[in-house]
Structures are given as C-alpha cells and as structure tokens.
Amino acid sequence: MLQLFFVRHGETEWNVEKRLQGRLNSNLTENGIRDAELLGKRLATIDFEAVYSSPSNRTVETAKLIIDERTLPFKTDERLMEIDLGEWEGRTVDEIQQSEPELYHLYQDNPSQFKGTGETFADVKNRLEAVLAELVEAYPSGNLLIITHGVVIKVLQAIFKTRSLDLVWEPPYIEGTSLTIAKIEDGKRELLLEGDIAHKERKIV
C-alpha cells in the first residue's frame, strides 16, 4: 500500500491579500512558517520514502520547514505546480470579479468550462494523473510527502473520488498546511483524510 501525504503550502502574503498566485510567488507569512513547523512536528514519526514538491518557492520553503533536519530524498516536479492562471496572476479576486465577472463565474461555478489565458482544470487533472501513475510505479508501498497547492489538491480530491471537475470546489476547504492523505492499493484509490488542520488548531500562541 502506498500512502500519499498531500500538503498545501503555508499561508503567503498574497493569500492574505486574496491575490491569485498561480505560477507567481509570494513569501510565507509568520503564520505560514509557524504552521509548517507545527505540521512537521505532527508528521515527525512518519517514515517517508521521499519528499516531492512543486518547484514554487512557497512550496519548497514549506517542505523544508516540515522535514526540518531529517535527511530524505527531495525532488521537485513541475507537474505539481499550481494551476497556471495566466493574466489573472498577481491580481486580487475583487479586481477579477469586476473586470471579468462571467469568466470568474465559470471558474467558481462551472470549472470544467473555465478557460482563461493559462491552464484549464482538465489540464491540471491530466498532469496529476501522470504523476500518480509514475509514483505508483516507483513506490509500490510506503509513505510519500507531497507539498503542492490549493487547486492541485482540490483536483486530486476529484480524481480520488472519481467525480466531475464541476464539483472541484466542494468542501472541505484546503487551508495553508492542511493535510490530505490518500492511499493506493491494488489499483484502488481512497482518500483517508481531507484538508485536516488539527496541528493548527492545537497551536500555542
């Protein structure tokens, strides 16, 4: 059995500003750094075969905070990057809603029909399916830690639940450093945990 521990990067400055990041980047906030460290403590007893990360700075930094001083194989894969949102990247949600309300409506309510100047949700699904196939072949069993992005994890949920991309925004919400665990065994895929933030809720302020 292969277990996949999917983690969204920690909170960033643009997350706080409700600014879409996509392939662009902004720095982790103090909360984002602290939450990643707390998740690292939560996962300290899990034996991971390897760590995979999107090459975005915010995911790589989150991964390093989680694994701390552990020596683990560390690999980046561009297919784990956030959805490419083209001209929307760097803009706030309010700005996009005002300038392109119909396209934003599709993004939120009919994701399968969304097509901006970057990727579609189907594009994201296709690259993630390829990653999953390769991971299963490379690791028949064990645990993998995978640090990625919000939309990516929502699409992964749709993949594991074999449901339409139009339901990609169904709860739970994927917060920064939230943990989603999936298993693949004998070709069967199952979600064991979705968007869990127990480590953040117990944090000492």
Side-chain angles (χ1 to χ4, degrees):
M1 177 182 70
L2 177 64
Q3 286 199 121
L4 306 169
F5 291 68
F6 295 108
V7 176
R8 185 186 177 191
H9 61 80
E11 179 189 76
T12 68
E13 294 167 355
W14 281 10
N15 289 153
V16 175
E17 297 172 6
K18 298 190 183 326
R19 197 177 296 277
L20 298 184
Q21 296 178 114
R23 299 302 176 91
L24 298 182
N25 195 65
S26 67
N27 295 326
L28 297 183
T29 64
E30 290 185 5
N31 283 338
I33 292 170
R34 179 179 57 196
D35 293 341
E37 291 172 342
L38 288 169
L39 180 58
K41 292 177 182 177
R42 177 181 178 181
L43 299 177
T45 59
I46 305 294
D47 290 325
F48 290 109
E49 304 297 319
V51 180
Y52 281 79
S53 175
S54 153
S56 295
N57 288 347
R58 61 190 183 275
T59 44
V60 171
E61 184 177 352
T62 299
K64 290 179 178 178
L65 290 166
I66 292 171
I67 62 178
D68 196 22
E69 296 180 356
R70 285 207 265 179
T71 302
L72 292 167
F74 189 98
K75 305 175 184 179
T76 59
D77 191 321
E78 290 191 357
R79 295 171 298 178
L80 294 172
M81 291 187 78
E82 184 58 293
I83 184 171
D84 183 344
L85 290 171
E87 295 174 356
W88 281 9
E89 295 182 357
R91 299 170 63 192
T92 65
V93 171
D94 285 345
E95 290 169 353
I96 294 166
Q97 284 178 314
Q98 291 176 15
S99 64
E100 298 171 84
E102 293 181 2
L103 189 57
Y104 189 77
H105 172 75
L106 290 178
Y107 180 77
Q108 285 293 331
D109 299 316
N110 295 103
S112 68
Q113 303 302 310
F114 169 78
K115 184 169 178 58
T117 57
E119 287 184 298
T120 66
F121 283 82
D123 292 332
V124 177
K125 181 180 179 181
N126 289 339
R127 57 180 163 91
L128 293 176
E129 286 280 18
V131 170
L132 291 173
E134 289 181 18
L135 291 178
V136 168
E137 185 174 350
Y139 302 93
S141 63
N143 302 308
L144 296 177
L145 178 61
I146 301 172
I147 317 300
T148 183
H149 304 267
V151 171
V152 169
I153 294 175
K154 296 306 295 182
V155 173
L156 283 164
Q157 288 177 316
I159 289 173
F160 275 84
K161 292 182 176 182
T162 61
R163 66 185 183 190
S164 167
L165 288 173
D166 280 329
L167 300 177
V168 78
W169 298 121
E170 289 287 298
Y173 177 70
I174 301 300
E175 291 190 21
T177 73
S178 63
L179 179 63
T180 296
I181 304 176
K183 76 171 184 178
I184 302 177
E185 187 173 20
D186 298 328
K188 295 180 181 178
R189 298 169 171 175
E190 181 182 353
L191 283 172
L192 305 178
L193 190 68
E194 297 181 74
D196 189 82
I197 54 170
H199 54 287
K200 294 168 65 170
E201 294 172 337
R202 291 196 294 266
K203 67 188 177 186
I204 299 173
V205 180

